[in-house]
Amino acid sequence: MKKWIVLTSTIIFWGLAFTAIKYSVKYLSPISVASLRFAIANVLFALLIIK
């Protein structure tokens, strides 16, 4: 059951990423969007490593 929850959440987050990029590029430059994505990913990975 846990595998299905992980799979479903991955699909949802993956799909939402494209929608978020589509709308965020309207208000920010592509470089800003990419930088923000990498900054968020770095924080999440750092929390994962520390844990």
Side-chain angles (χ1 to χ4, degrees):
M1 184 69 177
K2 184 177 179 182
K3 292 179 186 179
W4 288 107
I5 293 171
V6 171
L7 179 64
T8 304
S9 63
T10 301
I11 291 169
I12 290 170
F13 284 122
W14 196 307
L16 288 176
F18 293 110
T19 305
I21 291 169
K22 178 181 174 182
Y23 289 112
S24 63
V25 170
K26 289 182 181 180
Y27 302 106
L28 301 169
S29 70
I31 299 294
S32 297
V33 174
S35 299
L36 184 61
R37 286 185 67 203
F38 281 113
I40 292 170
N42 283 333
V43 169
L44 293 175
F45 281 131
L47 292 174
L48 185 67
I49 290 171
I50 292 172
K51 189 178 181 183

